[in-house]
């Protein structure tokens, strides 16, 4: 299963990369942005306010290849990010604080001025194991791994583009596949009846909204929201994946950014606690949220 998962991941990457190399480059626009962030906080032995020393390192890589000719458009994006943090002295352990991999490919044929008949493929997962920690900082449990979980969406629908800054895509028939390469985690990311299985297939309605605009000079907001509703099980429950990135370009090489990520998936179950933080013995879905404020070095390439 691990070999299959790695081959499958490479195939998905090649979907976006190889066509851009083989096709007539006259109609392609390529873009690449890499960012490296580093923070360090330290205190002397006599710092009266107290605090915990910390070091964090993170990197982001964004690649895009967009094709446009006559009535045909094809956009491909690959977003990767990984970061670690260490809090305490040199004997403290490093912990993951960012980990994402997402590949998108969307092909559209214009049927009116702002409307496209479109096919879309989306794949997302993470690179490294995710671990939970108790109040003392000791590791408790591993909750995710490479391709555990991973999500794959295929769909056909309509893409409405009223301007260069907004895209609204809707598909009444979307195929969603949840992938769990390690079956020990099957019931964490899929219903109980899928225990011991690697895959779960769902069909439902899918909405994708993308927005990108320079609000003022050198300040850009990017927002992407995905909504999925399963027709076959728990009809009416909506899975949400919403990302926002606000970036300030200080100069050619320095950028400040705020990233937020909200997830709600009815099939991802957490150990529930009461108002005192004590385990209840029950499991259920919960809204997941994270934010990242960073200042780092950025480098742009493939500017074509």
């Amino acid at each position: 299963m691990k070999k299959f998962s790695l081959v499958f991941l490479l195939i998905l990457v090649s979907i976006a990369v190889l066509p851009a190399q083989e096709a007539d480059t006259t109609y392609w626009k390529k873009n690449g942005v890499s960012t490296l962030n580093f923070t360090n906080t330290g205190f002397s032995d006599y710092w009266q306010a107290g605090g915990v020393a910390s070091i964090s390192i993170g990197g982001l890589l964004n690649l895009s290849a967009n094709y446009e000719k006559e009535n045909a458009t094809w956009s491909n994006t690959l977003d990767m990010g990984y970061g670690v943090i260490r809090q305490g002295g040199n004997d403290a352990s490093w912990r993951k604080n960012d980990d994402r991999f997402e590949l998108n490919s969307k092909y559209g044929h214009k049927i009116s001025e702002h409307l496209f008949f479109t096919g879309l493929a989306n794949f997302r997962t993470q690179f490294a194991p995710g671990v939970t920690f108790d109040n003392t900082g000791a590791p408790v449990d591993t909750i995710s791994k490479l391709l555990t979980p991973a999500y794959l969406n295929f769909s056909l629908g309509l893409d409405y583009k009223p301007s260069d800054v907004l895209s609204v895509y809707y598909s009444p028939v979307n195929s969603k596949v949840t992938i769990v390469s390690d079956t020990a985690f099957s019931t964490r990311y899929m219903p109980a009846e899928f225990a011991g299985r690697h895959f779960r297939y769902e069909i439902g309605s899918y909405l994708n909204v993308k927005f990108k605009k320079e609000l003022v000079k050198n300040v850009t907001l990017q927002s992407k929201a995905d909504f999925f509703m399963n027709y076959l099980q728990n009809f009416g429950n909506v899975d949400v994946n919403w990302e926002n990135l606000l970036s300030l370009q200080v100069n050619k090489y320095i950028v400040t950014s705020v990233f937020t990520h909200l997830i709600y998936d009815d099939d991802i179950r957490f150990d529930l606690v009461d108002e005192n933080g004590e385990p209840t013995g029950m499991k259920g879905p919960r809204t997941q949220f994270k934010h990242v404020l960073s200042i780092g070095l950025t480098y742009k390439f493939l500017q074509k």
Side-chain angles (χ1 to χ4, degrees):
M1 179 63 195
K2 291 183 178 179
K3 291 182 179 179
F4 168 79
S5 300
L6 290 173
V7 171
F8 181 67
L9 185 60
L10 290 173
I11 291 173
L12 285 169
V13 173
S14 68
I15 291 175
V17 175
L18 292 181
Q21 296 175 342
E22 297 174 357
D24 185 348
T25 57
T26 304
Y27 303 99
W28 286 90
K29 291 183 179 179
K30 303 174 186 178
N31 186 48
V33 179
S34 60
T35 303
L36 179 64
N37 304 307
F38 174 81
T39 62
N40 173 243
T41 303
F43 305 91
S44 70
D45 293 337
Y46 299 100
W47 183 256
Q48 61 87 24
V52 178
S54 66
I55 299 175
S56 67
I57 304 171
L60 300 173
L61 178 64
N62 307 109
L63 303 174
S64 66
N66 300 313
Y67 175 85
E68 184 173 355
K69 181 181 179 182
E70 298 176 350
N71 292 326
T73 63
W74 188 12
S75 61
N76 302 276
T77 60
L78 176 61
D79 298 315
M80 295 182 288
Y82 190 78
V84 292
I85 185 171
R86 187 181 71 187
Q87 293 180 304
N90 294 332
D91 57 342
S93 62
W94 289 91
R95 302 182 186 181
K96 180 175 69 171
N97 67 348
D98 189 21
D99 188 359
R100 50 197 169 95
F101 177 100
E102 183 168 355
L103 176 65
N104 289 279
S105 186
K106 183 168 66 174
Y107 181 85
H109 181 79
K110 181 181 284 189
I111 56 179
S112 69
E113 183 179 1
H114 300 298
L115 197 63
F116 296 77
F117 180 71
T118 301
L120 180 144
N122 167 270
F123 177 80
R124 58 186 174 92
T125 186
Q126 62 285 313
F127 292 101
V131 179
T132 58
F133 298 85
D134 62 19
N135 293 332
T136 67
V140 175
D141 191 17
T142 299
I143 59 173
S144 64
K145 298 180 179 180
L146 174 66
L147 297 177
T148 300
Y151 302 96
L152 178 63
N153 285 278
F154 289 106
S155 63
L156 291 174
L158 295 176
D159 196 11
Y160 177 60
K161 299 180 180 179
S163 67
D164 293 336
V165 303
L166 178 65
S167 169
V168 180
Y169 171 80
Y170 175 71
S171 171
V173 183
N174 178 84
S175 298
K176 178 183 178 181
V177 182
T178 301
I179 304 168
V180 180
S181 62
D182 187 339
T183 56
F185 298 84
S186 296
T187 55
R188 179 179 288 274
Y189 298 105
M190 299 186 289
E193 60 267 28
F194 288 84
R197 299 188 189 181
H198 290 292
F199 302 97
R200 180 197 183 194
Y201 173 79
E202 301 172 77
I203 187 168
S205 175
Y206 176 76
L207 175 67
N208 171 268
V209 181
K210 289 184 178 181
F211 176 86
K212 181 178 181 180
K213 184 177 181 180
E214 187 176 45
L215 303 180
V216 295
K217 187 176 180 180
N218 295 328
V219 178
T220 302
L221 173 65
Q222 299 181 58
S223 183
K224 181 184 67 173
D226 300 315
F227 306 90
F228 175 79
M229 182 174 64
N230 190 343
Y231 289 147
L232 305 179
Q233 190 174 21
N234 297 325
F235 182 81
N237 286 340
V238 179
D239 296 337
V240 180
N241 185 65
W242 184 20
E243 300 177 12
N244 294 282
L245 177 64
L246 181 66
S247 59
L248 168 62
Q249 192 75 41
V250 179
N251 57 37
K252 185 177 180 180
Y253 296 108
I254 299 177
V255 63
T256 300
S257 64
V258 179
F259 174 78
T260 65
H261 193 180
L262 183 147
I263 298 175
Y264 180 84
D265 190 326
D266 194 62
D267 297 315
I268 300 178
R269 303 282 165 158
F270 296 90
D271 295 322
L272 304 184
V273 297
D274 60 24
E275 58 184 11
N276 297 317
E278 298 296 326
T280 64
M282 301 176 64
K283 292 181 178 290
R286 285 294 182 266
T287 299
Q288 307 168 58
F289 182 80
K290 82 169 185 179
H291 74 275
V292 180
L293 171 63
S294 62
I295 301 175
L297 300 175
T298 185
Y299 176 68
K300 297 182 179 180
F301 54 98
L302 294 177
Q303 301 294 309
K304 295 182 180 181

